[in-house]
Amino acid sequence: MIRVFLLDDHEVVRRGLRELLQAAGDIEVVGESGSAVEATRRIPALRPDVAVLDARLPDGSGIDVCRDIRSVDPHIQGLILTSYEDDEALFAAIMAGAAGYVLKQIRGTDLVDGVRRVAAGQSLLDPAVTQRVLDRIRHPRHEPDQLKALTDQERKILGYVADGLTNRQIAAQMFLAEKTVKNYVSSLLTKLGLERRTQAAVFAVKLGDQHRR
C-alpha cells in the first residue's frame, strides 16, 4: 500500500481527495491536515510515502512544508497541488525538493497515477522546466540591492502593488488578513527606502522593464 498524507485547508477538498485515492485500492490515506504548521509536525511522525500538499494555505505554504519535511526525512515525496500556474512557485517547489507540481484541474485518474509514480521515485516535473530552474541557479539575474532585502512574500506583494491592487485585493489573492498585507507593504517600503506605495509601483514596473530587455 502507498501511504499518503493530505494537506489542504478545505475540508471538502480533503474529503474528495481521500475518497478518490482510497478507491484506487493500493493507496491508504494515513493522515490529513488543513494547517501547514500542524502538517510539518505530523508528517515526519507518520512517515507517508507521498505528501500531497496544497501550495497556498492560511498559515503558510505547502512548498515550505515540503522543504521542512524532506529535510527531516528525504524518503517522503512531496506532490504540490495548486490552483495557480505560477513560475515562481514552481521554481520554489523544485528548490524545495518536490517530486511533482500539478494543477487542481487535473483529472482524478491522472492524480492517482501521479501519486503512484511519485511513490515509485519518478518525477512529475517537466524536464524543460527543471532545466530552466537549473539555468536560473547557474546564471542568477542581477537584482538591485534593495530587492535582495525583500522576503519572497514581500516580493509577491510588490508585484501586486505594481498591478494596482489594493491591500484588500492583495489579501484575497494571497489568503492573508488585510492588516497583514498592510504590515508587509510598510516593511517593503522601508526596505526600498520609499514613502508611498505609488513609488513602489513605479520601482517594480521599471524593474520589470529592465528584465524584459
Side-chain angles (χ1 to χ4, degrees), residues 65-202:
V65 173
C66 180
R67 181 185 301 107
D68 291 343
I69 62 175
R70 283 183 55 79
S71 68
V72 175
D73 187 346
H75 297 294
I76 300 173
Q77 301 298 322
L79 179 58
I80 306 299
L81 198 57
T82 178
S83 303
Y84 308 93
E85 204 160 1
D86 180 344
D87 277 354
E88 288 300 318
L90 176 55
F91 175 83
I94 294 173
M95 294 300 292
Y101 184 94
V102 296
L103 296 176
K104 286 186 177 178
Q105 293 92 313
I106 189 172
R107 292 189 307 173
T109 53
D110 290 340
L111 180 61
V112 171
D113 180 59
V115 168
R116 289 179 179 138
R117 288 173 58 191
V118 167
Q122 299 176 35
S123 172
L124 294 186
L125 297 166
D126 184 335
V129 173
T130 306
Q131 186 59 48
R132 283 211 316 266
V133 171
L134 292 174
D135 288 342
R136 277 185 60 173
I137 295 169
R138 294 183 185 124
H139 310 289
R141 293 176 296 187
H142 175 71
E143 294 182 339
D145 289 338
Q146 307 106 296
L147 199 59
K148 292 177 183 176
L150 300 185
T151 65
D152 289 342
Q153 202 81 316
E154 288 167 347
R155 290 181 188 220
K156 288 179 185 176
I157 289 174
L158 177 61
Y160 285 128
V161 169
D163 290 336
L165 272 64
T166 64
N167 287 351
R168 178 170 295 181
Q169 290 169 326
I170 295 172
Q173 288 283 343
M174 299 185 68
F175 305 104
L176 296 172
E178 188 175 350
K179 184 177 180 182
T180 302
V181 173
K182 183 179 179 181
N183 291 338
Y184 273 124
V185 171
S186 297
S187 174
L188 71 87
L189 287 176
T190 300
K191 290 179 180 180
L192 294 175
L194 304 173
E195 295 179 0
R196 297 184 299 277
R197 63 189 295 134
T198 50
Q199 293 174 314
V202 171

